[in-house]
Every structure is written in C-alpha cells, then in structure tokens.
Amino acid sequence: MSRKPNMESSIYLGSDGWWHGRVTMGVKPDGSPDRRHRRARTEPEVTRKVRALEKLRDEKRAPKAGRVPTVAQWMNTYLTTIASLKLKPRSLDDYWSKTRNDIVPGVGQHRLNKLEPEHLETMYAAMLSKGHAPSHVLKVHRILSRALKIAHRRRMIVENVAVLVDPPTVDETETNPFTQEEARAFLEAAVKRPTFVRWLVGVGMGFRQGETLGMRWKYVDLEAGLFHPRWQLQRLTWKHGCADPHACGERLHRFEPCPADCTTHKGYKRGCPKPCGKECTRHASVCPDRKGGGLAFTRPKTKKSWQPVPIPPPFIPPLRDLRELQEQQRAAAPELWQNFDVVFARPDGRPLDPRQDWEEFKELLEEAGIDDRRLYDGSRHTAGTILNELGVPLVTIMEILRHTQVTQTRRYVKGRSEQSRDAMRRMGDAFLPQVPSQTEAPAPAPVETRTETTGTRAARDRRRRRIR
C-alpha cells in the first residue's frame, strides 16, 4: 500500500458506522501536525466537508487550531485587551454595559464558529419586544460586529455573521433647540442661581456638559478672550482592583428579582436593579482596591475638540466676578478648599456633579415655562441654531462647535426661524400677482339670459341650414 503524499486528505468508513475525514492543515504553534477531523453519515457528505476545509486551507482562511471560544469569552477578551487600547473610558464603559446586559444573555453561550445570523436576529427581536429603542439595538449590533470582525481577522472564524444581518433602522433624532425667546427666559431663570455663568456658557457658546464642567482656569484666557477646552469631566464606572471580584461584592449580590411592592429601592429613579448573574463581578464601588471610576477628567474625543473658542465680550465680566468669588471662598475657608482649579465649582472647590447639573437644568426648564427637552438641545443645538438665525455662515458655526465636518454641523442646526419665514415671504412677493382682499365688495354675479348668442352651436346649425 503506497503512502499518501503530504497534505493529502484521507476519507474512510469507521467501525462506528460513520464516514470520517482527516485533513492536514499545517503545523501547530508547538510544532506538532495540525490535523482536522470531519465526519458524516455518508461518503458524499463527508467528502463535501473535507473539500470545504481544504479550500479554506489553500486560501489561508482556515480558523486556527484549538477550541473556539464562546461569544461571552471572546467579548471579555476583546474588551479587556483590544478595545481598551483605543476607546475612551466612557465609551469603553458603554461597551461593557451593553455586553453584560444584552450580548452575553442573548448569544453569549454560542461558540464563535457556531454563531448564525438567525441567532442575532432573534436577539434583536427580543430586545425590541422588551422596549429597547432601535438606536440601542443598533449600538449593540455595532459592538458585536466589531468584535467579530477582529475575530475574523485573527482567523478564529471563517466569516463575520454580523454583516449578514440587517439591524433595525434608526430615524435621526429630532432636535428641539431653544428659540431666542426661550433662551432668554431660561437665562432669566438661571440668573437667580449661583450657577448662572455655567448656563450662560452652556447656552451661549454651545459647549458640551462635560467640557463645561471640566473647564479649568488654566485654560481660560480672559485677556485674549479665548476658551481652550482641553479637558472634560465625566463620571466613569468603578472597576475591581482585587483578585476575586465575585467574592468582593458578595454582600451585595441579589439573585432573585425584587417583589412588586419593594421598599428597599423605593427612592431609586430607575427602579429596582436587575438581579445578579451567577458569576456576578459587579459592585466594584465597594471594592477596597477599586480603580478608574467616579468623577474623572478625560481628554475630549477628537483633536478638533481642543480648538480654542472665542469668548463673547459680554461674558467676560461675569467670568471675572466668578473668579473673584472663588478667591474669596478659598480665603474664607482654606482648610476646606479643594483646589481642582475648575471654573464652575462647588463652595468647597470641587467640580459640579453632572447628575446634579442635569437635575438643575430640568428645574430651570420648569421655572422658565419651557417644555421638557434634552440638555444637549438646550445648549449645543441651541447655540448652533441661533448662530444660523443670526446669519453666521455654516463653516464658521462648524469652527465654533468644533466639528470635523460641515455635514455634522448641518445636523446640529435646525432650519426653522425667521430666516425661513423671511425667505418664503420674499419668494411670494417675487412673482405672485396682487390678489384682491376677501373683504372687498364682491363682483356682480352673471345675469342669466334666455336669448342665444351667435356663438352657440345651435345658432351655427341654423346658419348652415339657411345657406343650403
């Protein structure tokens, strides 16, 4: 019996009644041969499987040897060692949250190479039926698709099945910025509070909440009239620094859902928290070695966001007064003052809490008699829209809001306002004839007559009969 050449596959009928195929794929990292096994009930079926594996080998697309991890295992590896090197801390927290709450419960137990498009479609449908917004489902899809793309690059799987799935369609969020009258009413309500300058800057200059609360005096040049937004303030999720996160949060684990009449979490704005999983590693806020959480100063998302912004001259006197007030507070209680150098600080020098800042915004809306809306609408979208109403070119608005593309600025600027009305008024005056008023005397009604005119069809017929 002649020996088969190297890299040639073998197909045979085993004593168990199954047809088996052995394919040589190459060499494992430890130097041993990499032989893959396929089996089927019939010879044509196992031959098809062997040929498909050979094709992957020849095209250098074959998955690596070894047991393929589950989706849950790979997402943990991806977020811990890959995504953490590129993502901003707040974005990474969001990735972890959606992985823990949506991806792992939905498809976490599937092996990467066994994951099918139908599994993802079923998960997305279940999320929508539970009341999740389509934008939330789309974000989950993008996170999972990115993780599977990396796995495909590393030849852990043959194909990224997420690209075969159509995620839910998301309509662009309708913005609701302040009108000029509403902006004045909002600031008139805010002027009664010690945080008035914070809202003056937020509404009048279009800064993001994190950029406003993270602004430091070191980067404010009142002489030149420039803001340098180099930092932003964000609340990050705490992470365990201990060796056993599950045991660390043991006293806070709750594996059963709360009863309908729960009083323990009565004051929670978001309702009772979800039950813990069997291997829960949350509750890092009580870890004695916790790290990377709480209020933290982080860099803005893009380099464009670092671009200095001119300060409107009327804003400079209130900023000077605010700095003098902080100096007086520091001198009055030097032992209690915490020097964070932030422009908008609490009486002891600490930065303003973003949650309390959001709650104050809602209170000011109610005091000013303005309907409810997002904080982003009342600051960044409002600044862009009012600048557009004042006739500022779109490219200049892009520079003020520090966008990288003018198309992004167009989404921030709502095309309403007096400009549209004035344009349509001039459009009508350009070609529409003078229309008489409805209040003028009506024209006399036509008088009915029984005599036929010479132009009627009957008169023409009579003339033809006479000619004949």
Side-chain angles (χ1 to χ4, degrees):
M1 181 177 177
S2 61
R3 183 176 180 180
K4 288 183 175 293
N6 289 336
M7 306 301 289
E8 185 173 344
S9 305
S10 59
I11 298 175
Y12 58 93
L13 178 62
S15 58
D16 56 357
W18 287 76
W19 283 88
H20 298 266
R22 302 284 178 175
V23 184
T24 302
M25 305 298 292
V27 180
K28 295 181 180 180
D30 60 359
S32 60
D34 181 8
R35 294 274 288 177
R36 309 284 177 92
H37 173 248
R38 294 291 184 269
R39 73 170 187 167
R41 282 296 185 183
T42 62
E43 184 178 7
E45 186 178 357
V46 76
T47 302
R48 179 183 57 79
K49 291 183 178 182
V50 167
R51 297 294 177 259
L53 191 57
E54 290 176 340
K55 182 180 179 182
L56 293 176
R57 178 196 64 192
D58 298 339
E59 294 176 354
K60 301 188 183 302
R61 296 190 301 115
K64 293 183 179 180
R67 191 167 179 80
V68 179
T70 63
V71 174
Q73 293 169 343
W74 172 242
M75 290 302 301
N76 182 71
T77 302
Y78 166 69
L79 294 177
T80 304
T81 63
I82 302 173
S84 59
L85 302 179
K86 292 189 62 176
L87 294 178
K88 296 291 184 180
R90 188 67 175 271
S91 298
L92 186 61
D93 284 350
D94 186 46
Y95 275 46
W96 273 111
S97 175
K98 289 180 171 55
T99 298
R100 182 173 55 249
N101 297 322
D102 300 309
I103 297 176
V104 172
V107 294
Q109 300 305 313
H110 291 284
R111 298 279 170 189
L112 289 179
N113 59 337
K114 301 296 183 182
L115 192 63
E116 298 291 342
E118 292 76 16
H119 298 150
L120 304 188
E121 292 167 347
T122 302
M123 179 179 70
Y124 299 158
M127 292 173 62
L128 291 173
S129 65
K130 290 179 181 179
H132 287 293
S135 58
H136 179 92
V137 180
L138 179 61
K139 186 65 177 292
V140 170
H141 171 78
R142 289 174 175 171
I143 294 172
L144 182 57
S145 179
R146 179 62 183 174
L148 294 177
K149 183 178 180 180
I150 299 298
H152 180 230
R153 283 181 182 175
R154 301 187 177 191
R155 295 191 298 162
M156 300 174 65
I157 54 178
V158 178
E159 187 177 26
N160 178 5
V161 297
V163 301
L164 306 177
V165 178
D166 290 330
T169 302
V170 178
D171 296 330
E172 187 172 344
T173 303
E174 180 68 20
T175 62
N176 190 19
F178 291 154
T179 62
Q180 296 188 36
E181 292 74 17
E182 289 174 336
R184 294 191 191 97
F186 181 85
L187 293 178
E188 287 174 0
V191 76
K192 308 170 188 177
R193 298 176 178 249
T195 55
F196 166 67
V197 185
R198 177 263 177 275
W199 299 113
L200 182 66
V201 171
V203 176
M205 299 187 64
F207 275 71
R208 303 174 179 91
Q209 183 194 37
E211 294 173 341
T212 306
L213 302 184
M215 195 178 297
R216 301 184 185 182
W217 288 113
K218 178 180 178 181
Y219 303 103
V220 178
D221 189 348
L222 295 180
E223 302 302 326
L226 289 175
F227 274 138
H228 297 271
R230 299 295 179 85
W231 295 92
Q232 59 183 353
L233 185 70
Q234 293 183 326
R235 179 177 293 279
L236 305 179
T237 304
W238 289 106
K239 298 178 180 60
H240 282 278
C242 56
D244 190 353
H246 178 72
C248 180
E250 183 176 6
R251 65 182 180 86
L252 297 179
H253 290 326
R254 293 173 42 261
F255 301 105
E256 298 295 332
C258 292
D261 56 346
C262 174
T263 58
T264 305
H265 309 104
K266 187 176 180 180
Y268 281 42
K269 294 183 178 180
R270 298 183 180 180
C272 297
K274 295 180 180 180
C276 300
K278 294 182 179 179
E279 301 297 331
C280 177
T281 58
R282 295 185 296 170
H283 317 299
S285 59
V286 300
C287 178
D289 300 321
R290 65 181 186 178
K291 58 183 180 180
L295 292 178
F297 289 96
T298 62
R299 290 291 188 182
K301 189 173 182 180
T302 63
K303 291 289 184 179
K304 185 74 173 180
S305 300
W306 296 21
Q307 180 176 320
V309 181
I311 305 174
F315 291 9
I316 295 180
L319 285 168
R320 294 187 188 275
D321 295 341
L322 180 62
R323 187 162 60 179
E324 292 178 3
L325 176 62
Q326 288 187 5
E327 293 295 336
Q328 295 172 6
Q329 292 174 337
R330 182 195 307 216
E335 67 282 355
L336 300 178
W337 184 264
Q338 301 183 40
N339 188 21
F340 285 89
D341 195 39
V342 289
V343 176
F344 307 111
R346 306 182 200 184
D348 59 357
R350 292 181 298 159
L352 297 176
D353 191 310
R355 294 176 182 172
Q356 296 177 355
D357 182 75
W358 179 85
E359 292 175 355
E360 186 176 29
F361 173 75
K362 297 297 182 178
E363 294 173 0
L364 289 172
L365 288 178
E366 186 175 355
E367 292 178 12
I370 304 173
D371 58 335
D372 188 37
R373 63 196 66 192
R374 302 179 305 169
L375 176 57
Y376 220 62
D377 288 336
S379 56
R380 200 158 176 78
H381 287 288
T382 293
T385 300
I386 293 180
L387 285 171
N388 183 52
E389 293 176 355
L390 296 175
V392 179
L394 207 59
V395 176
T396 305
I397 300 177
M398 180 187 73
E399 294 297 322
I400 293 174
L401 298 181
R402 291 159 291 126
H403 291 152
T404 55
Q405 296 178 348
V406 73
T407 53
Q408 186 180 7
T409 307
R410 289 195 182 97
R411 294 197 297 269
Y412 276 66
V413 175
K414 187 167 184 178
R416 49 144 209 248
S417 73
E418 296 302 323
Q419 281 189 343
S420 301
R421 296 177 183 176
D422 180 64
M424 297 310 293
R425 183 168 53 250
R426 288 185 283 123
M427 180 72 169
D429 295 342
F431 64 87
L432 186 67
Q434 188 68 27
V435 180
S437 174
Q438 296 295 328
T439 59
E440 296 179 1
V447 180
E448 183 179 2
T449 178
R450 295 183 179 277
T451 59
E452 293 183 325
T453 61
T454 58
T456 63
R457 182 175 180 179
R460 291 196 300 269
D461 291 342
R462 285 196 297 270
R463 284 197 302 272
R464 283 196 292 269
R465 286 196 294 269
R466 287 196 298 268
I467 293 173
R468 292 173 184 168

